[in-house]
C-alpha cells in the first residue's frame, strides 16, 4: 500500500540477504513480527524503536549478516521517507493552509449542512472514492485527514464512523481500479483488457466499498469508540480574520492534485507513447510530488491571500505545519524499513515456491498467493506483481472477461489484513491517534473485509460471465 512501487519491485528482485531455508525464514518472519507487537503493546515502546529492533531481530533469526540487515532496513526507511515523506509534508502544509485560512471550516460547514446523521458516512465514502480514483493511497490520506477529523469533531461523530468509510473508499480504489500501479502492473503481466478490467473493477468496487465502509463503520465505532485526536485536528482560524476563502475556491484547491493526476492517467491510457510531448508534460505535472506542490502554491493564494494573510504569516503557517508530522514520518519510514528487510530476506520468493504445487482454480489461486505475499511483506504492490507473474501462464486458457477477473482477484488478495509490516498501517494509526490493538480491530479488519468481499463478488461474476 504505497506509492514506492518502482523501488519495491526492484527490491523484490535483489539477491536475498540470507541463505536460510524456508522453514527458518518463516520462523524468522513470525519472530520479527512478534517482537514488534510485544515491544509496542507490552513494553509501551515507541513504534519507531520497536520497528527498528524488530527488523534487526528478523535478520538475526534468519541468520543474515547484521550489516546486510542494517543496509536493507536503512534503504527501506530512506526510500519510504523519500517518497511518502515528501507527500506527507506537502499534505500537512496544505492541511494547515486549509485550517488557518478558514477553508477547512468552509468545507466542513458545507458538508454538515448538506449531509447529517446517517447520511454522513455515505457522503465520506463517496468523497474519498472520487478523490482516491487517480491518487496513491498516501496522497488521498493527507488530503482527506483534515476533512475527516473536522467533520468528526464538529458533528460529534465517532472518529471510526467517519474515518472508516473514507479509508475504505481510498483503499478499494488503490487495490482494484486502474490507473493505480498494482492493477496496471497486473493488467500488463496478464495481458488483460484495460477497459474490461476497469468496468468489472467498478462493478466489484461499489458493493465492496459499501460493506467495508458505511456498514462496517457501525461496528468499528462500537469496538473502538474514540474521538478525533486533538493534536491532529486543524484548529479554527484565529478570530482576527476578516474573511475566509469561498467554498468553490477551497474545493478547487483540494481537487487540483486529483485533477492533475487523473489527466496524467487518462493521457497515459489514451496516448500510451512515452515519447509523445503531451504525455511527457502530463507525466511531470501529474506526478504526486508536483501535483501536491502545485496545490500548496495555489493554496497560498486561493486560501492564504484570500484570508488576508501577509507573507510573514504564510511563512509561519508552513513552518508550524511540519512539526507535528515528525513522529509520523519516522514511524512510517521504519515501517518501510521493516518491509524492505522482509523482501530482501527472500520472503516473497519463499511464498512463490510454496504455492507452485497448489491445485486450485486460477481466480482463487491468484488471490491466495497475493494474500500470502501481502501478509509476509506488507506490500500490496509487491503482492500484486508477484502473484500476477505466477498465475500468468493460466491466463492463456481464460476468456477475456476471466482474465480481467483474475487481475481483480490478485488485487483483492493484495489488500488482505494490513498489519505492522505495512507503512500504511502506521500512517492510519498515527493520524487517527489509535494504539496497535485498536488499529488492528478497525483498519486491519476493514482491509480484510475489502479483500474477502471483493473476492466473493469476483467469484460471483465469474459464474455469470
Amino acid at each position: 500500500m504505497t506509492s514506492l512501487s518502482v523501488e519495491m519491485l526492484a527490491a523484490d528482485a535483489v539477491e536475498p540477504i540470507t541463505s536460510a531455508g524456508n522453514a527458518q525464514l518463516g520462523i524468522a518472519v513470525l519472530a520479527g513480527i512478534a517482537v514488534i507487537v510485544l515491544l509496542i503493546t507490552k513494553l509501551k515502546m515507541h513504534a519507531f524503536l520497536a520497528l527498528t529492533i524488530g527488523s534487526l531481530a528478523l535478520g538475526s533469526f534468519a541468520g543474515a549478516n547484521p550489516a546486510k540487515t542494517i543496509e536493507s532496513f536503512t534503504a527501506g526507511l530512506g526510500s519510504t521517507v523519500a517518497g511518502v515523506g515528501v507527500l506527507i509534508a506537502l499534505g500537512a502544509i496544505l492541511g494547515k493552509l486549509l485550517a488557518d485560512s478558514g477553508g477547512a471550516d468552509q468545507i466542513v460547514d458545507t458538508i454538515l449542512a448538506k449531509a447529517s446523521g446517517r447520511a454522513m458516512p455515505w457522503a465520506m465514502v463517496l468523497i474519498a472514492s472520487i478523490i482516491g480514483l487517480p491518487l496513491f493511497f498516501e496522497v488521498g490520506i493527507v488530503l482527506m485527514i483534515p476533512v475527516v477529523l473536522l467533520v468528526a469533531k464538529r458533528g460529534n461523530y465517532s472518529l471510526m464512523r467517519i474515518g472508516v468509510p473514507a479509508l475504505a473508499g481510498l483503499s478499494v480504489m488503490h487495490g482494484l481500479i486502474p490507473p493505480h500501479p498494482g492493477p496496471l502492473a497486473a493488467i500488463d503481466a496478464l495481458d488483460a483488457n484495460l477497459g474490461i478490467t476497469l468496468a468489472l473493477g467498478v462493478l466489484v468496487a461499489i458493493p465492496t466499498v459499501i460493506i467495508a465502509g458505511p456498514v462496517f463503520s457501525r461496528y468499528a465505532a462500537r469496538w473502538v469508540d474514540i474521538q478525533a485526536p486533538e493534536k491532529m485536528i486543524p484548529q479554527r482560524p484565529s478570530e482576527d480574520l476578516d474573511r475566509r476563502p469561498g467554498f468553490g475556491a477551497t474545493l478547487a484547491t483540494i481537487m487540483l492534485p486529483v485533477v492533475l493526476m487523473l489527466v496524467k492517467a487518462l493521457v497515459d491510457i489514451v496516448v500510451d507513447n512515452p515519447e509523445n510531448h503531451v504525455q511527457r508534460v502530463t507525466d511531470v505535472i501529474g506526478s504526486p510530488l508536483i501535483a501536491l506542490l502545485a496545490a500548496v502554491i495555489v493554496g497560498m493564494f486561493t486560501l492564504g491571500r484570500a484570508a488576508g494573510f501577509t507573507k510573514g504569516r504564510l511563512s509561519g503557517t508552513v513552518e508550524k505545519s511540519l512539526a507535528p508530522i515528525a513522529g509520523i514520518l519516522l514511524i512510517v519510514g521504519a515501517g518501510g524499513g521493516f518491509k524492505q528487510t522482509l523482501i530482501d530476506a527472500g520472503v516473497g520468493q519463499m511464498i512463490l515456491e510454496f504455492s507452485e504445487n497448489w491445485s486450485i482454480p486460477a481466480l482463487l489461486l491468484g488471490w491466495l498467493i497475493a494474500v500470502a505475499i501481502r501478509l509476509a511483506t506488507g506490500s500490496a504492490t509487491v503482492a500484486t506483481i508477484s502473484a500476477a507473474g505466477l498465475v500468468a501462464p493460466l491466463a492463456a486458457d481464460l476468456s477475456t472477461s476471466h482474465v480481467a477477473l483474475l487481475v481483480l482477484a490478485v488485487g483483492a488478495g493484495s489488500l488482505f489484513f494490513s498489519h505492522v509490516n505495512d507503512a500504511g498501517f502506521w500512517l492510519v494509526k498515527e493520524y487517527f491517534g489509535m494504539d496497535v490493538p485498536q488499529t488492528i480491530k478497525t483498519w486491519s479488519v476493514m482491509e480484510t473485509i475489502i479483500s474477502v468481499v471483493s473476492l466473493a463478488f469476483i467469484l460471483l461474476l465469474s459464474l455469470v460471465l
Side-chain angles (χ1 to χ4, degrees):
M1 173 83 53
T2 175
S3 60
L4 305 177
S5 55
V6 175
E7 288 87 349
M8 289 188 296
L9 294 178
D12 196 43
V14 300
E15 188 71 22
I17 59 175
T18 175
S19 58
N22 286 341
Q24 182 181 353
L25 190 54
I27 293 171
V29 170
L30 295 176
I33 293 173
V35 167
I36 293 170
V37 173
L38 288 174
L39 288 177
I40 294 172
T41 57
K42 297 298 182 183
L43 301 183
K44 306 301 180 185
M45 184 176 287
H46 191 272
F48 171 71
L49 294 175
L51 284 162
T52 304
I53 294 171
S55 300
L56 298 176
L58 167 66
S60 298
F61 291 132
N65 184 322
K68 292 284 188 182
T69 303
I70 294 170
E71 184 179 330
S72 286
F73 176 77
T74 53
L77 186 150
S79 62
T80 301
V81 172
V84 179
V86 177
L87 303 183
I88 292 173
L90 289 172
I93 295 171
L94 184 58
K96 187 67 172 173
L97 282 170
L98 281 167
D100 286 5
S101 68
D105 284 298
Q106 191 75 279
I107 292 285
V108 171
D109 290 346
T110 304
I111 292 175
L112 288 174
K114 298 293 183 181
S116 59
R118 294 181 179 180
M120 187 57 69
W122 297 90
M124 296 309 297
V125 77
L126 178 62
I127 294 168
S129 297
I130 293 171
I131 286 181
L133 183 61
L135 300 186
F136 290 118
F137 178 80
E138 293 84 357
V139 184
I141 279 283
V142 298
L143 287 177
M144 285 295 297
I145 283 297
V147 175
V148 168
L149 296 181
L150 278 173
V151 167
K153 178 73 173 179
R154 305 277 175 79
N156 197 30
Y157 295 103
S158 163
L159 181 56
M160 292 300 100
R161 191 75 174 107
I162 301 301
V164 166
L167 292 173
L170 294 172
S171 187
V172 169
M173 294 299 110
H174 174 83
L176 298 179
I177 308 296
H180 287 280
L184 275 183
I187 287 169
D188 181 65
L190 298 174
D191 197 23
N193 182 287
L194 176 60
I196 293 176
T197 306
L198 179 59
L200 294 177
V202 171
L203 276 179
V204 172
I206 291 173
T208 299
V209 80
I210 289 172
I211 294 170
V215 174
F216 171 64
S217 68
R218 296 178 184 175
Y219 303 95
R222 296 174 193 167
W223 298 341
V224 180
D225 186 12
I226 59 173
Q227 300 302 311
E230 289 293 336
K231 67 175 182 177
M232 298 303 297
I233 297 175
Q235 301 302 308
R236 279 190 181 273
S238 57
E239 298 301 323
D240 61 346
L241 292 178
D242 295 327
R243 59 188 186 275
R244 65 185 189 182
F247 176 77
T250 305
L251 184 63
T253 304
I254 294 175
M255 292 299 292
L256 177 60
V258 180
V259 172
L260 290 176
M261 292 187 200
L262 185 57
V263 168
K264 173 191 179 300
L266 291 174
V267 171
D268 286 348
I269 293 170
V270 174
V271 178
D272 195 21
N273 179 13
E275 300 302 319
N276 182 277
H277 180 68
V278 174
Q279 184 169 340
R280 290 169 67 179
V281 171
T282 56
D283 281 347
V284 174
I285 64 172
S287 66
L289 173 68
I290 299 300
L292 268 175
L293 180 60
V296 168
I297 294 172
V298 169
M300 290 182 176
F301 295 93
T302 59
L303 303 174
R305 301 297 287 181
F309 282 15
T310 63
K311 294 178 182 177
R313 184 161 183 179
L314 274 174
S315 178
T317 297
V318 172
E319 184 175 347
K320 291 176 184 176
S321 70
L322 298 176
I325 64 169
I328 295 176
L329 284 176
L330 287 173
I331 292 170
V332 172
F338 182 57
K339 174 192 301 180
Q340 195 63 54
T341 306
L342 286 166
I343 293 170
D344 288 353
V347 172
Q349 186 58 40
M350 176 188 74
I351 300 294
L352 293 179
E353 290 175 4
F354 276 142
S355 65
E356 282 179 352
N357 296 320
W358 294 353
S359 298
I360 298 173
L363 295 179
L364 188 56
L365 178 63
W367 184 82
L368 286 171
I369 295 172
V371 164
I373 299 174
R374 159 70 158 178
L375 289 173
T377 68
S379 169
T381 306
V382 170
T384 300
I385 297 300
S386 300
L390 186 70
V391 298
L394 301 179
D397 299 326
L398 300 177
S399 66
T400 303
S401 59
H402 276 67
V403 172
L405 290 175
L406 183 57
V407 169
L408 298 177
V410 167
S414 74
L415 297 176
F416 191 88
F417 196 75
S418 163
H419 61 99
V420 296
N421 62 354
D422 178 14
F425 177 93
W426 301 103
L427 196 64
V428 171
K429 173 189 176 296
E430 294 302 309
Y431 269 135
F432 284 5
M434 296 186 288
D435 57 30
V436 169
Q438 288 175 328
T439 311
I440 289 174
K441 285 192 286 187
T442 54
W443 161 253
S444 300
V445 172
M446 183 206 77
E447 287 283 87
T448 304
I449 290 172
I450 291 173
S451 181
V452 174
V453 170
S454 56
L455 174 67
F457 283 109
I458 289 165
L459 293 176
L460 284 175
L461 282 175
S462 73
L463 299 177
V464 176
L465 298 175

